[in-house]
Amino acid sequence: MKVTVITGGSRGIGAAVALRLAHDGHDIALGYRSDEAAAGRAAEAVRATGRRCVTVALDTADEHDVDRLFDTAAAELGPVAGLVNNAGVSGPNGPLAEADADGMRRAIDVNVLGYLLCARRAVRDMTATGGGAIVNVSSAAATLGSPGQYVHYAATKAAVDAMTVGLAKEVAPLGIRVNCVAPGVIWTEFHEDPQRPAKLADTIPLGRSGRPEEIGGAVSWLLSDDASYATGAVLRVAGGM
Ligand code: NAP
């Protein structure tokens, strides 16, 4: 049994990851921003597998909130051995010339600072308990650049790829593995245009957008002992994009 913290676990990719990890035998501390009902549904799905789940509303860009998430996980479930850094926002959609600074700043705060704060706390906890594994959810946007849509968001995801590589090297001697999954276009409520995954299908080599469960499988593997020699990897799960 492992205790794993998942941010953004109330819906979309995070909820699918939570359910997959529960089937793998993880107890879950599920972070979310504000949608309590959605978090409750995701937690019930975890509990239906027989695993334990606590939910914590927080802003991952706030270090005190992050500490509260990890403190709750440890107090109610036990020592944290896994982290899935997943909570993310796109910020403004459109060309950079039209993007507002506050929206871009928020995307940087959540997607970069939030991931760093969660990873920092996870490393502190895992160092004290003898190791663990972290998976960061990045995006294929990190290498595609998202022109005309959200260049600032792609830049935050490139930062996630970079922190994966650096932190993996930094904490490998501590018995902590750090990897990354870079999804392509996935059917979630993330998109400003809800039909974007359908509209982009023709541009994807596999001919369709992905399902959240298909990201869950990749995260599951990277957290598992089967991936015991994998660290610093960015695993692209993007239908060939
Ligand atoms: P989503 O459906 O919009 O869900 C976002 C989740 O993050 C929700 O649980 C939300 O909580 C939570 N959240 C947002 N801001 C937060 C904050 N500041 N603090 C704590 N929780 C916060 O998104 P998704 O599509 O599942 O995306 C998950 C991750 O995958 C993101 O990092 C995203 O960039 C990445 N990704 C997505 C796609 C895609 O096509 N969907 C592609 C590549 C990468 P509430 O429900 O309470 O608001």
Side-chain angles (χ1 to χ4, degrees), residues 84-174:
V84 182
N85 248 334
N86 168 76
V89 295
S90 71
N93 280 227
L96 180 66
E98 295 169 15
D100 71 281
D102 285 346
M104 290 194 288
R105 187 175 293 112
R106 182 68 183 150
I108 292 166
D109 276 354
V110 176
N111 299 357
V112 182
L113 181 62
Y115 274 43
L116 289 168
L117 291 173
C118 289
R120 183 182 72 169
R121 173 60 195 259
V123 166
R124 289 173 176 169
D125 287 8
M126 292 171 186
T127 301
T129 54
I134 297 171
V135 174
N136 296 319
V137 178
S138 167
S139 173
T143 53
L144 296 172
S146 303
Q149 188 172 22
Y150 32 47
V151 166
H152 64 275
Y153 168 81
T156 69
K157 293 303 188 176
V160 171
D161 289 1
M163 76 175 76
T164 301
V165 171
L167 187 61
K169 291 174 179 168
E170 187 171 301
V171 300
L174 302 172

Side-chain angles (χ1 to χ4, degrees), residues 179-196:
N179 290 289
C180 183
V181 174
V185 184
I186 307 298
W187 278 101
T188 73
E189 296 166 47
F190 178 82
H191 310 282
E192 189 177 73
D193 174 359
Q195 287 308 306
R196 179 170 174 262

Side-chain angles (χ1 to χ4, degrees), residues 15-109:
V17 168
L19 186 56
R20 173 58 190 260
L21 294 182
H23 281 296
D24 291 348
H26 296 239
D27 291 327
I28 306 292
L30 188 151
Y32 66 103
R33 179 78 181 105
S34 56
D35 190 342
E36 189 178 347
R41 286 192 295 275
E44 275 314 306
V46 167
R47 293 184 191 115
T49 70
R51 306 274 24 129
R52 297 179 295 162
C53 186
V54 292
T55 59
V56 178
L58 81 153
D59 180 356
T60 51
D62 180 313
E63 66 177 318
H64 302 296
D65 274 12
V66 169
D67 280 337
R68 187 165 47 79
L69 171 63
F70 280 79
D71 288 346
T72 303
E76 299 202 18
L77 301 175
V80 172
L83 165 66
V84 182
N85 248 334
N86 168 76
V89 295
S90 71
N93 280 227
L96 180 66
E98 295 169 15
D100 71 281
D102 285 346
M104 290 194 288
R105 187 175 293 112
R106 182 68 183 150
I108 292 166
D109 276 354

